[in-house]
Amino acid sequence: MRIPSKFAILCAAISQLVTAHHGAGGGHAHAHDEELWKSKYGEQVDLPFTGPLSFSHLPYAKCLDDPSSLFDIAILGLPFDTTVTYRPGARFGPFGIRSGSRRQRPDIGHTFGWGMNPYKQNGVKIIDCGDVPISPFDNTLAIDQISVAYSTLLSRPLPPVTSAVHSSSSVTASLSQHKIPHPRIVSLGGDHTIVLPILRSLNKIYGPISVIHFDAHLDTWPPVKERYPAMSMTEQSQVNHGTFFWKASQEGLIKQDASIHAGIRCKLAGPDDLVHDSSVGFELITTDDIEDLGIPEIIKRIRRRVGSNPVYLSLDIDVIDPGLAPATGTPEAGGWTTREVKRILRGLGGLNFVGFDLVEVSPVYDTNAETTSLIAADIVHDFLSMMLQPRDEKVAAGTIHYSPGLGEGATTRDEL
């Protein structure tokens, strides 16, 4: 019979001692370790480069699935790009814009330009409602899905804790046809056609509305078969990201002679395009007007055009020069700078906004520094600030211009 060595006997004894120790006191030590991180370092906060991808690290919910998800303002992704006429890719726009917002966060949302933090305004609740699952195969179905999703969220009641001072209720209740308050939505496109189903949804509540349209292109063209001679002119084929405003006008969704373009510089078939554009209901501010008129006059003309109407603002990222924001489907040289666009937006605070969108961001064409996505995310932050500016009837009517950064409720004459 083999006798165990002294070394083997010693190892067995040590093993028994270790087992006895864990059995007697190991549970207590493990329980202590479970809370060691929180007691030493606090909450597990998301850093700018960590955490789930929501806009500016906002609370995220699949609002279409959860009727209990209530909000004053929702961020909503509309990943749709199958009505473009040149480069596709805007279906990735919602992802790109959210990615560009990673350095933004609700606790550091105060800006020099606006003089406030939109996320900390009297209990106003802003959440990211995720993306609408949109068909990439059937445009008729996709447009209906956008309209149904938008109408669903638009019909939600406001959160019970919302303050009437800075909330949607103080604006939307007075503007809606039934005098009922509604939440507001900032949509992340997606190609520009998403605006047609959005206007259809808004029309059910507000009737015809004014549109402020930042873009390099008119987007009011009627269907022109000659440009795509091989295409059959079905009813759905008439709707694309260059014709949707024409279609909206045909359906009576746009308030006549109360809408305006800003930043137009596209090439045209001829002067008849401008005559047609005017018949759709738009006034025109070109890119070059910023040199000839200046920013103050541009702000004044936009405010005067839309007045106290319900206003929808749609911004195509190609309004900005492609040297600064290259990631878009139909780039046009010679656009406005980011700073110029942001300054014009700051001059529009206090209007009767019922919704916003930022469209045509196609991240595949961006720089490796994600410059377009960063710009887009920053402009969405401006949208949130615009909606939460103090509302005054004179401001809404365009007779007084709100000047952010001068203090709560500060105004100056619109002559600037």
Side-chain angles (χ1 to χ4, degrees), residues 27-38:
H28 174 73
H30 180 67
H32 174 72
D33 289 345
E34 282 182 348
E35 304 303 324
L36 182 59
W37 171 272
K38 192 167 185 178

Side-chain angles (χ1 to χ4, degrees), residues 297-312:
E297 179 63 23
I298 288 174
I299 292 170
K300 184 193 299 185
R301 292 190 180 191
I302 294 173
R303 297 182 72 91
R304 186 167 54 217
R305 180 69 170 179
V306 302
S308 57
N309 299 322
V311 178
Y312 184 82

